[in-house]
Amino acid sequence: MAMTEKVTAERNYSRFYAVLNRVPHVGEREELKRSLVNSVSLGRTDSLRELTGREYNTLCDTLECSLGEKPHKGNSEQRRLRSQCLHLMQVWGVNTADWTAVDSFCLDKRIAGKKFRKIDMDGLDKLSNKLRAMLKKKGEE
């Protein structure tokens, strides 16, 4: 899901409000909600409806973890994207068992411009799209 893509009205916000009601806070609940949404969207919005699916899930996961209700297993979405990118690199011909090879591939400015472990979620999304385009073009030649 692209960062600019808006959430559809079909989302059920009960998960968020159920966990928000259990978060101890001082002051208005609406102000707490706006602050949390603003934080997870990196200042892009303070409206729950304008969050992307990834942001919404991250917000709910973080709140649940802070309450100790959900064991922290790392960011599953990030693991999924990393795995996807590594698979696509392998198809391209990069030896993904060698982290030096993976990093030197990713360090190329045309690919990501940084080591693989330093690529954030948006970067992984872009890298995945770039690798797919490269593989598609390679198949067409």
Side-chain angles (χ1 to χ4, degrees), residues 3 36-46 50-51 55:
M3 287 300 293
L36 291 168
V37 169
N38 191 27
S39 173
V40 79
S41 71
L42 303 175
R44 184 177 50 80
T45 184
D46 63 356
E50 292 180 11
L51 290 180
E55 291 169 337

Side-chain angles (χ1 to χ4, degrees), residues 1-115:
M1 180 180 285
M3 287 300 293
T4 57
E5 186 175 329
K6 299 290 186 230
V7 174
T8 61
E10 295 121 25
R11 179 180 296 147
N12 182 345
Y13 297 102
S14 63
R15 177 182 177 205
F16 172 76
Y17 284 109
V19 73
L20 182 66
N21 288 333
R22 293 189 300 276
V23 171
H25 66 282
V26 176
E28 293 289 321
R29 186 177 91 159
E30 187 63 24
E31 187 59 37
L32 174 64
K33 180 197 85 155
R34 278 193 218 110
S35 172
L36 291 168
V37 169
N38 191 27
S39 173
V40 79
S41 71
L42 303 175
R44 184 177 50 80
T45 184
D46 63 356
S47 169
L48 193 60
R49 291 175 188 233
E50 292 180 11
L51 290 180
T52 63
R54 183 182 309 151
E55 291 169 337
Y56 177 77
N57 288 330
T58 299
L59 176 59
C60 292
D61 289 346
T62 303
L63 288 173
E64 288 168 347
C65 286
S66 71
L67 294 172
E69 297 175 358
K70 190 173 186 178
H72 182 68
K73 297 180 181 176
N75 190 332
S76 60
E77 177 71 8
Q78 185 177 25
R79 284 195 320 262
R80 186 188 68 76
L81 284 171
R82 286 174 56 88
S83 178
Q84 185 178 75
C85 288
L86 286 169
H87 172 73
L88 292 168
M89 281 186 238
Q90 191 174 34
V91 172
W92 182 255
V94 176
N95 178 4
T96 56
D98 179 9
W99 285 109
T100 306
V102 171
D103 282 341
S104 46
F105 178 76
C106 291
L107 279 169
D108 187 320
K109 291 282 183 202
R110 296 170 294 179
I111 304 298
K114 55 179 93 170
K115 290 185 177 185

